[in-house]
């Protein structure tokens, strides 16, 4: 690789996703340009005020909303949440704790439990294969 290769850039949507923010809420200069890998790293290392505000208050993209509520993105859709939410709206949903949210949280907990079980099973199978290979 040569040292004079082009700087890697990404679309603003990709950068916003990597930063965990809702693209439409970012400043116009961010949405209208391209973001280099170096610029992304700088934003992550030392976020400007607009980025800190977005991360703290939102509006948040669906993956962040789902994470904050402890449900899947599909669970959000099943619950009728299709738009980005602010931190205040997320907190209000947590306080309200509607039936759909309780159900989706329980489903997510079961999924996590099953993932742990499968991971342990695969580890045990790999250990047995390795042991047979050594015999």
């Amino acid at each position: 690789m040569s040292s004079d290769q082009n700087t890697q850039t990404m679309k603003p949507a990709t950068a916003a996703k990597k930063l965990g923010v809702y693209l439409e809420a970012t400043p116009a200069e961010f949405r209208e340009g391209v973001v280099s890998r170096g610029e992304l790293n700088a934003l992550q290392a030392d976020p400007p005020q607009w980025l800190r505000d977005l991360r703290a208050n939102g509006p948040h993209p669906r993956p962040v909303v789902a994470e904050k509520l402890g449900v899947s993105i599909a669970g959000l859709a099943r619950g009728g949440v299709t738009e980005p939410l602010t931190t205040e709206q997320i907190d209000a949903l947590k306080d309200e704790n509607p039936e759909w949210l309780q159900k989706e949280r329980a489903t997510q907990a079961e999924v996590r439990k099953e993932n742990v079980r499968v991971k342990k099973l695969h580890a045990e199978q790999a250990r047995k294969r390795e042991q047979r290979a050594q015999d």
Side-chain angles (χ1 to χ4, degrees):
M1 300 218 148
S2 65
S3 61
D4 62 329
Q5 75 185 49
N6 292 339
T7 302
Q8 183 181 9
T9 60
M10 62 193 82
K11 294 178 182 176
T14 303
K17 188 174 183 177
K18 290 180 181 284
L19 293 169
V21 295
Y22 181 56
L23 177 64
E24 299 306 315
T26 61
E29 60 269 11
F30 180 86
R31 289 192 311 270
E32 294 165 1
V34 294
V35 181
S36 72
R37 176 69 60 190
E39 290 168 332
L40 178 68
N41 291 340
L43 287 169
Q44 289 172 324
D46 186 23
Q49 189 61 46
W50 65 264
L51 182 54
R52 289 194 298 269
D53 290 345
L54 274 179
R55 286 178 170 169
N57 305 317
H60 302 287
R62 285 180 304 163
V64 174
V65 173
E67 181 182 337
K68 287 179 178 279
L69 290 174
V71 300
S72 67
I73 294 172
L76 282 180
R78 285 189 294 269
V81 178
T82 57
E83 298 297 318
L85 299 179
T86 63
T87 300
E88 188 176 311
Q89 291 169 314
I90 292 168
D91 290 343
L93 255 179
K94 285 179 179 177
D95 291 343
E96 184 184 318
N97 201 18
E99 187 177 330
W100 72 264
L101 182 57
Q102 294 172 37
K103 181 180 174 192
E104 292 300 333
R105 282 180 164 170
T107 299
Q108 191 69 6
E110 287 299 316
V111 167
R112 285 190 200 107
K113 234 168 48 176
E114 178 64 7
N115 287 343
V116 167
R117 185 192 71 77
V118 169
K119 187 174 181 179
K120 284 180 182 177
L121 177 66
H122 288 163
E124 179 64 22
Q125 289 171 343
R127 187 189 64 74
K128 286 179 180 178
R129 279 192 304 273
E130 187 177 303
Q131 192 173 34
R132 280 195 304 265
Q134 290 175 352
D135 291 343

